Amino acid sequence: MANKVVTLNETDLIKLKEYYSPYLVDSYPQGALFAIRVEGCTITAYRSGKVLFQGKKSETEAEKWIQFDIAETKPIIKKTRYSPPERISTMSVIGSDEVGTGDYFGPITVAAVYVAKEKISTLQSLGVKDSKKLSDNQIIALAGKLIQTVPYSLLILKNEKYNELQQSGMSQGKMKAMLHNQAIDHVCKKIAPKEPEAILIDQFVEPSIYFRHNLNKDIPFQDRTFFITKAESIHVSVAIASIISRYAFLKEIEKLSEMAGFPLPKGAGKIVDEACAKLIEIKGKEALSTFTKRHFANTKKALSIYEK
């Protein structure tokens, strides 16, 4: 059996788990953190940071993560035309980020934000940083200030539409690519005739695939569009985009919780399975299209709990 090993740090292990969240499986070897099963490949992540890809598509899946490999034998990654310039942190930039892709309950929210270079230091002084490093209360307080301060676009892909698109054969990656492009286009129109010096996208897919997903769309300033992981640490515009999109996600989860009659948990773990089983008991199976991303493995697990 073909296999490939990649060593990731803690942050990238979380990203890997979120990326494959619909394909998590319950059983995995001793010493493992989690395991994933996709077509043609089984992926097992260990506490050491090593991730084992096994199966006929192991090379294909591992290739998506090889750039994050922290092993000493890791080759130097050459810069591509889509790597941001060295001075991007001081440039006038439209940054974009998304939240909710790994959450079973709630929508996907995508935000794009324009920050002029003369506003960077002022915004940083407000305590802007990656939304994952802020509490929910901090997010809510900070987002309230930021949406009054910066030109932005926020898009919310609710579960009903998400499930409809997924059932039609559209991948989550394509949905995200289209949402990012649309949000960026909205901001470009808001600030016109002013133009951004660069567009920075928190990378979730290879640039060529991103552009292919938007092949029949207007792609603003493609020649100055850049991609990098952890982009929120590179430019304040992406950090603000992550905060605004997180804020919107929290508000949507709050609304869904009110509809459900009990607090809905975030993520896609065991507690989510139990909450979904409770939801089915109260609202019926037909409610899943409104509250959840139905194709996630949580649906099958929740139905099993409910039927017992």
Side-chain angles (χ1 to χ4, degrees), residues 59-94:
E59 289 283 347
T60 302
E61 295 301 327
E63 189 64 31
K64 299 174 183 177
W65 305 93
I66 195 72
Q67 62 180 308
F68 309 120
D69 196 332
I70 60 173
E72 292 183 359
T73 55
K74 177 186 174 183
I76 296 172
I77 303 299
K78 292 182 179 179
K79 283 203 165 194
T80 71
R81 58 178 289 199
Y82 298 113
S83 299
E86 295 290 337
R87 64 184 188 89
I88 195 165
S89 63
T90 62
M91 295 166 65
S92 296
V93 170
I94 293 176

Side-chain angles (χ1 to χ4, degrees), residues 7-294:
T7 305
L8 303 179
N9 62 29
E10 185 177 353
T11 300
D12 290 325
L13 280 173
I14 292 170
K15 283 202 170 189
L16 179 136
K17 187 176 183 180
E18 289 179 348
Y19 181 83
Y20 290 108
S21 58
Y23 309 102
L24 290 166
V25 295
D26 289 328
S27 59
Y28 41 83
Q30 186 175 3
L33 290 170
F34 56 87
I36 295 148
R37 189 169 292 116
V38 296
E39 184 182 355
C41 186
T42 298
I43 305 166
T44 308
Y46 291 89
R47 300 182 193 282
S48 63
K50 291 187 182 298
V51 182
L52 175 62
F53 296 79
Q54 295 175 292
K56 62 182 181 181
K57 292 188 177 178
S58 59
E59 289 283 347
T60 302
E61 295 301 327
E63 189 64 31
K64 299 174 183 177
W65 305 93
I66 195 72
Q67 62 180 308
F68 309 120
D69 196 332
I70 60 173
E72 292 183 359
T73 55
K74 177 186 174 183
I76 296 172
I77 303 299
K78 292 182 179 179
K79 283 203 165 194
T80 71
R81 58 178 289 199
Y82 298 113
S83 299
E86 295 290 337
R87 64 184 188 89
I88 195 165
S89 63
T90 62
M91 295 166 65
S92 296
V93 170
I94 293 176
S96 66
D97 202 358
E98 85 284 332
V99 169
T101 57
D103 292 90
Y104 181 59
F105 290 115
I108 292 177
T109 57
V110 176
V113 171
Y114 173 70
V115 173
K117 54 190 173 187
E118 61 269 19
K119 301 272 184 139
I120 291 174
S121 59
T122 301
L123 290 165
Q124 287 173 331
S125 70
L126 293 176
V128 171
K129 54 185 173 182
D130 180 14
S131 65
K132 298 183 190 71
K133 298 177 181 177
L134 297 168
S135 69
D136 289 353
N137 288 336
Q138 287 175 316
I139 291 283
I140 291 167
L142 198 49
K145 297 176 185 175
L146 293 171
I147 59 177
Q148 302 295 326
T149 307
V150 295
Y152 75 96
S153 173
L154 171 67
L155 300 176
I156 300 174
L157 181 61
K158 296 196 174 184
N159 295 110
E160 295 94 335
K161 187 64 177 178
Y162 176 94
N163 289 315
E164 180 187 324
L165 292 172
Q166 195 276 329
Q167 282 293 306
S168 74
M170 185 180 293
S171 68
Q172 190 185 89
K174 184 170 183 176
M175 294 181 214
K176 289 194 289 183
M178 292 173 69
L179 288 167
H180 274 262
N181 186 65
Q182 187 179 355
I184 291 165
D185 187 51
H186 287 173
V187 177
C188 287
K189 289 172 180 172
K190 279 188 178 183
I191 67 172
K194 190 183 299 181
E195 294 184 358
E197 293 180 273
I199 290 169
L200 184 62
I201 298 171
D202 190 42
Q203 187 169 352
F204 57 90
V205 71
E206 287 301 309
S208 60
I209 297 174
Y210 174 89
F211 293 124
R212 188 165 72 235
H213 283 329
N214 287 293
L215 191 61
N216 298 318
K217 308 289 182 182
D218 290 330
I219 302 175
F221 305 109
Q222 183 172 344
D223 61 334
R224 61 184 87 164
T225 295
F226 305 102
F227 299 78
I228 193 169
T229 57
K230 302 184 183 69
E232 66 280 349
S233 65
I234 303 296
H235 198 278
V236 69
S237 62
V238 183
I240 295 174
S242 78
I243 290 169
I244 292 175
S245 54
R246 184 68 176 174
Y247 170 77
F249 177 80
L250 291 173
K251 287 299 181 184
E252 291 298 316
I253 282 286
E254 187 178 305
K255 291 176 189 174
L256 289 173
S257 295
E258 289 175 4
M259 290 169 59
F262 64 95
L264 297 175
K266 297 183 282 292
K270 186 176 180 182
I271 190 172
V272 171
D273 301 336
E274 293 167 352
C276 184
K278 182 178 178 180
L279 179 70
I280 294 169
E281 185 177 358
I282 296 170
K283 298 285 187 180
K285 297 176 186 178
E286 63 276 7
L288 295 180
S289 291
T290 300
F291 287 84
T292 74
K293 300 175 182 71
R294 290 196 63 151

